[in-house]
């Protein structure tokens, strides 16, 4: 027997938890799993909002049947077409052949492209509504959070914003559904990791959408496609998403290093010690070869200091560090105090790429930029100390 969870008199969570996928979208590790949330409104007309990944199709259909019995699903509202939410559309169409699929004009291109569906659809525009009986739903187009077809659906009766991926996070729902049923601190890193890796590139759009919808809607509950449903800390998650979208940060420093023989690592440790001696309490050090980039980006999104050090590889920067830099460039990272160090044996290259990066993303770079030929000697380590001290001062000043 597969259970749904009752959210209000007529609204049910009929989503699923995925603890089987190790690497979501072949990019993001899932140490804590993930949920694919779908919501059912059992009114005079029955509406389903988003579906689940195809692998969970059978349990999803069972959950729907457990709520509505022999009734039919009248509408499927597609807030987002990425396959973790659209994967069960075809089997849903087979189970409920008279069901109308509601989406915007862009949704329809994806629907045809992914699943060959061209019939039984209804195109809606921004502000359009449908009546289910007691519940009236309004659609808001929110393109590029984080795909072009994304939209949100607001239920006036229960004041629920069905927000698609926005306000979601990694992490499965382990018995709980609502924000007040779990320790949110436990979840916070996974929510920010989701935002910083998947949504952050469109931070300005997120910020503008939050501004727009919070002015026109009285939102009591936020129901995302991933993670908990927000009903007690609704303002908290909206304001955290807004802070992250504007790249507002806490005081602290992330040091990321790439090191083949240990020399750049020694420099990283010297910089970290200096940060600590100069009053920085939150310091995170990552070996870029050993930590998946999604966790590094998460902490970079959290803190206002970023110090990067790399060895040189074939006249260029160490490849794993290059991947991180490109990942940060594509997410428009900005407003960080930055420090740079690196090493080489027979030809430089790493430090130049780090300098280019810093200029490109307009981060404020602290002096000195430290470059060691071969193993760092006492003089180089003194420069590392100086770099840590200067970053600490700027980080604290920027946080005032
Ligand atoms: Fe959860 Fe953008 O899909």
């Amino acid at each position: 027997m597969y259970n749904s969870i009752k959210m209000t008199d007529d609204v049910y969570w009929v989503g699923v938890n995925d603890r089987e996928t190790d690497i979501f979208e072949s990019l993001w590790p899932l140490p804590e799993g993930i949920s694919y949330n779908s919501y059912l409104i059992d009114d005079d007309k029955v509406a389903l909002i988003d579906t689940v990944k195809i692998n969970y199709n059978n349990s999803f259909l069972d959950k729907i049947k457990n709520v509505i019995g022999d009734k039919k699903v009248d509408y499927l509202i597609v807030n987002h077409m990425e396959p973790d939410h659209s994967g069960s559309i075809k089997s849903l169409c087979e189970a409920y052949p008279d069901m109308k699929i509601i989406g915007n004009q862009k949704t329809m291109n994806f629907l045809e492209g992914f699943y060959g569906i061209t019939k039984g659809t209804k195109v809606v525009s921004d502000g359009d509504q449908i009546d289910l009986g007691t519940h009236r739903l309004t659609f808001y187009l929110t393109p590029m959070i984080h795909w072009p077809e994304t939209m949100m659906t607001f239920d006036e009766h229960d004041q629920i914003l069905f927000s698609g991926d926005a306000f979601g996070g990694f992490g499965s729902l382990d018995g709980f559904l609502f924000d007040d049923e779990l320790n949110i601190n436990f979840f916070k890193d996974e929510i920010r990791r989701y935002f910083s890796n998947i949504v952050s590139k469109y931070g300005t759009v997120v910020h503008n959408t939050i501004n727009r919808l919070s002015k026109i809607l009285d939102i009591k509950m936020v129901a995302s496609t991933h993670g908990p449903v927000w009903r007690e800390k609704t303002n908290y998650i909206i304001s955290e998403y807004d802070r992250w979208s504007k790249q507002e940060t806490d005081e602290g420093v992330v040091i990321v290093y790439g090191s083949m023989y240990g020399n750049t690592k020694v420099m990283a440790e010297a910089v970290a010690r200096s940060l600590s001696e100069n009053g920085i309490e939150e310091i995170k050090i990552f070996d870029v070869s050993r930590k998946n980039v999604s966790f590094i980006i998460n902490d970079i999104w959290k803190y206002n200091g970023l110090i990067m050090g790399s060895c040189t590889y074939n006249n260029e920067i160490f490849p794993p560090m290059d991947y991180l830099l490109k990942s940060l460039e594509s997410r428009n990272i900005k407003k960080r105090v930055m420090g740079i160090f690196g090493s080489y044996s027979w030809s430089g290259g790493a430090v130049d790429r780090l300098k280019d990066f810093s200029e490109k993303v307009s981060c404020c770079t602290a002096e000195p930029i430290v470059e060691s030929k071969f193993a760092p000697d006492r003089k180089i380590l003194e420069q590392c100390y100086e770099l840590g001290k200067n970053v600490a001062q700027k980080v604290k000043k920027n946080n005032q």
Side-chain angles (χ1 to χ4, degrees):
M1 184 67 74
Y2 296 101
N3 294 323
S4 56
I5 300 175
K6 200 170 168 71
M7 293 166 57
T8 67
D9 284 347
D10 323 302
V11 181
Y12 297 80
W13 175 86
V14 288
V16 295
N17 286 299
D18 178 355
R19 299 182 191 88
E20 290 82 34
T21 301
D22 296 320
I23 304 185
F24 182 58
E25 298 174 348
S26 299
L27 278 172
W28 324 111
L30 290 179
E32 309 292 343
I34 193 167
S35 70
Y36 310 116
N37 298 338
S38 168
Y39 302 95
L40 186 66
I41 306 177
D42 184 15
D43 202 343
D44 296 345
K45 296 277 184 191
V46 174
L48 191 64
I49 299 169
D50 292 313
T51 76
V52 302
K53 192 171 168 178
I54 193 166
N55 315 39
Y56 301 93
N57 189 25
N58 289 341
S59 58
F60 175 57
L61 290 174
D62 281 346
K63 284 186 184 198
I64 295 167
K65 268 202 184 316
N66 278 346
V67 177
I68 60 170
D70 292 334
K71 282 172 82 176
K72 306 285 177 218
V73 175
D74 296 289
Y75 300 111
L76 169 65
I77 293 152
V78 181
N79 279 339
H80 184 24
M81 273 301 296
E82 205 166 0
D84 51 331
H85 309 296
S86 66
S88 296
I89 290 182
K90 265 188 115 163
S91 46
L92 206 60
C93 289
E94 283 160 20
Y96 302 103
D98 297 328
M99 180 184 75
K100 272 254 178 296
I101 303 176
I102 296 181
N104 58 72
Q105 193 62 57
K106 286 182 181 149
T107 315
M108 301 307 155
N109 299 335
F110 286 88
L111 205 53
E112 182 176 4
F114 277 140
Y115 306 112
I117 296 173
T118 53
K119 294 199 173 101
T121 59
K122 178 180 165 63
V123 175
V124 292
S125 304
D126 192 71
D128 283 357
Q129 299 184 319
I130 60 162
D131 247 310
L132 304 177
T134 309
H135 296 257
R136 185 163 58 180
L137 305 178
T138 311
F139 307 108
Y140 294 98
L141 271 53
T142 56
M144 300 322 298
I145 306 181
H146 61 119
W147 271 27
E149 90 302 355
T150 43
M151 63 181 207
M152 297 188 190
T153 300
F154 185 67
D155 169 24
E156 276 177 22
H157 183 265
D158 287 328
Q159 295 167 278
I160 306 174
L161 181 67
F162 298 98
S163 60
D165 280 348
F167 312 114
F170 292 127
S172 56
L173 302 171
D174 296 349
F176 51 78
L177 173 64
F178 296 103
D179 57 352
D180 48 290
E181 296 176 327
L182 76 150
N183 180 348
I184 216 69
N185 290 332
F186 175 74
F187 237 75
K188 200 170 166 184
D189 263 339
E190 282 298 79
I191 297 171
R192 196 191 320 95
R193 186 165 71 93
Y194 182 86
F195 175 89
S196 56
N197 284 278
I198 293 184
V199 187
S200 64
K201 182 176 173 65
Y202 308 102
T204 309
V205 187
V206 174
H207 173 63
N208 292 341
T209 302
I210 288 173
N211 255 349
R212 179 188 171 218
L213 294 186
S214 53
K215 274 183 196 148
I216 57 175
L217 302 179
D218 187 9
I219 302 166
K220 291 274 188 286
M221 209 184 278
V222 172
S224 166
T225 43
H226 299 290
V229 170
W230 303 89
R231 68 176 177 189
E232 191 181 281
K233 301 180 183 74
T234 305
N235 289 337
Y236 161 83
I237 189 60
I238 293 174
S239 82
E240 282 296 89
Y241 251 68
D242 199 35
R243 275 188 73 227
W244 298 333
S245 72
K246 291 184 283 185
Q247 299 202 33
E248 289 179 5
T249 45
D250 299 339
E251 182 179 304
V253 179
V254 173
I255 300 175
V256 195
Y257 69 86
S259 186
M260 295 174 75
Y261 315 118
N263 294 318
T264 315
K265 179 184 176 188
V266 168
M267 297 169 79
E269 301 278 5
V271 174
R273 183 62 197 149
S274 170
L275 286 168
S276 181
E277 285 185 10
N278 285 285
I280 301 298
E281 291 180 352
E282 303 215 20
I283 304 166
K284 289 281 188 77
I285 305 184
F286 293 106
D287 178 340
V288 75
S289 301
R290 286 171 178 80
K291 195 78 174 174
N292 178 275
V293 78
S294 69
F295 295 97
I296 303 175
I297 289 173
N298 176 33
D299 271 315
I300 289 175
W301 227 263
K302 182 175 181 185
Y303 294 117
N304 62 348
L306 171 61
I307 305 180
M308 307 182 92
S310 178
C311 59
T312 298
Y313 183 79
N314 285 344
N315 301 345
E316 293 176 1
I317 198 161
F318 189 45
M321 185 62 84
D322 196 40
Y323 179 67
L324 173 63
L325 296 181
K326 285 178 178 149
S327 300
L328 292 172
E329 283 163 357
S330 83
R331 285 167 180 74
N332 304 314
I333 185 88
K334 57 188 177 188
K335 296 192 202 169
R336 299 300 189 283
V337 174
M338 201 175 158
I340 292 171
F341 63 93
S343 67
Y344 66 98
S345 303
W346 47 270
S347 158
V351 163
D352 286 343
R353 171 73 174 101
L354 288 170
K355 282 194 227 165
D356 286 348
F357 167 80
S358 159
E359 279 164 24
K360 206 177 202 174
V361 298
S362 305
C363 281
C364 147
T365 306
E367 293 291 333
I369 291 170
V370 189
E371 188 167 29
S372 177
K373 184 168 185 182
F374 299 117
D377 57 15
R378 187 182 182 86
K379 196 169 153 218
I380 289 288
L381 293 178
E382 280 169 3
Q383 288 176 17
C384 289
Y385 188 90
E386 197 61 19
L387 172 62
K389 189 173 93 180
N390 290 338
V391 169
Q393 280 170 356
K394 284 178 187 287
V395 156
K396 283 192 275 186
K397 197 171 161 203
N398 279 17
N399 200 42
Q400 282 167 358

